[in-house]
Amino acid sequence: MASNGTQTPNASCLDCAIDQSAWKIALPSLYFMIFPLALVLNLTVAWICLHLQVNSSLTVYLKHLVAADLLMTLTFPIRAASELPGASPGLHAFVCRFSSVFFYLAMNMSVILMGLISLDRYLKIVRSGGSLLGQNLLFTHALSFTFWIVCIGSITLPIIMTTDQDPMNMATEFCMAMKSKLGLDWHKAVVIVTKVIFWTVCIVIVFCYTCIAKTVLESYQRSHSNNDKRKRKAKLRVFLILIIFLICYVPYHSIRIPYTLLQIKGNCSCTWFFLKIGKELTLWLSSLNVCLDPLIYFFLCKAFREKFWEICDLEKLFPSFGKKQ
């Protein structure tokens, strides 16, 4: 699904009342800006997760989500560098064929895992009690790895293999020029399939949190004790996933299909250019999930929260600290 090319062969793209030189500085600056924070956050989260005991389906999904976030984070500097004025064609080609493909792999897996986490919270809060296959550790491990394998096998590898043409002197966008005829058809099919997956997951998430909200409201109406208030606060934390999902992913997936249809046609009109800017801005918004997901780990996973506070315990890290106070 790489679409990071910047080549615009037709002059009609250049008369759209937008300073393209300023845009080519602004876009990479956005990625460079969040990369240090994202890297520190996700390396810290990854270290904590390596020391967590896997004792629940939620922990399994969170570990896979951390892997997806870290993978996406590592693509930021290369993606940003390729957008800078004067970036070499070789760097553009690398981003089109590899870096952007792994970026989208990480994003698609994040969407799927958020759906699985939402289902897990629904089963725990709304359908609590009884033996549930979806909460079996072996099943959740197998399910998570299956999604990785399917995404890599049906999306990532085919796109890498079909993005192998010489893009120079071709009257179309750089990344599209690198694709064979099969690659263009596959690209279009992948965009449609991933949109179906996204909106299916979106429906599942909205359904889960509608049911959770109903359960929390009923719990509130039954009792007003302090203990129940704490329980309700714990349940309300799960809405973080819904908030992050709506903020980060819905804008991008709403604009992606019309942009792709014009992109494949090689249409370089102002409409395409404005859609491209909208797509890139909403894509950057999607990348912000790597900075927001740690909130999910902290508020939803008790084991993660306890390990975090253990790390932050200054008296344990620096024994002399407590004595001086």
Side-chain angles (χ1 to χ4, degrees), residues 230-248:
R230 284 196 295 270
K231 288 182 179 179
R232 287 195 301 275
K233 285 181 180 179
K235 290 177 180 178
L236 287 171
R237 290 171 182 168
V238 301
F239 287 94
L240 271 173
I241 295 178
L242 178 62
I243 295 170
I244 292 173
F245 187 87
L246 293 177
I247 291 174
C248 292

Side-chain angles (χ1 to χ4, degrees), residues 116-134:
L116 293 175
I117 292 172
S118 299
L119 280 173
D120 180 79
R121 296 299 86 195
Y122 168 80
L123 294 174
K124 289 281 179 66
I125 296 173
V126 180
R127 300 289 183 183
S128 57
S131 176
L132 298 167
L133 181 62

Side-chain angles (χ1 to χ4, degrees), residues 27-28 30-39 42 69-83 95 99 103 283-284 286-291:
L27 180 62
L30 291 173
Y31 283 101
F32 281 130
M33 180 178 67
I34 65 171
F35 174 67
L37 175 62
L39 185 63
N42 284 283
D69 286 348
L70 191 55
L71 175 61
M72 181 183 285
T73 299
L74 294 176
T75 68
F76 288 170
I78 302 174
R79 186 178 188 85
S82 72
E83 292 285 357
V95 170
S99 181
F103 176 95
L283 186 62
W284 177 79
S286 294
S287 70
L288 281 180
N289 82 93
V290 300
C291 296

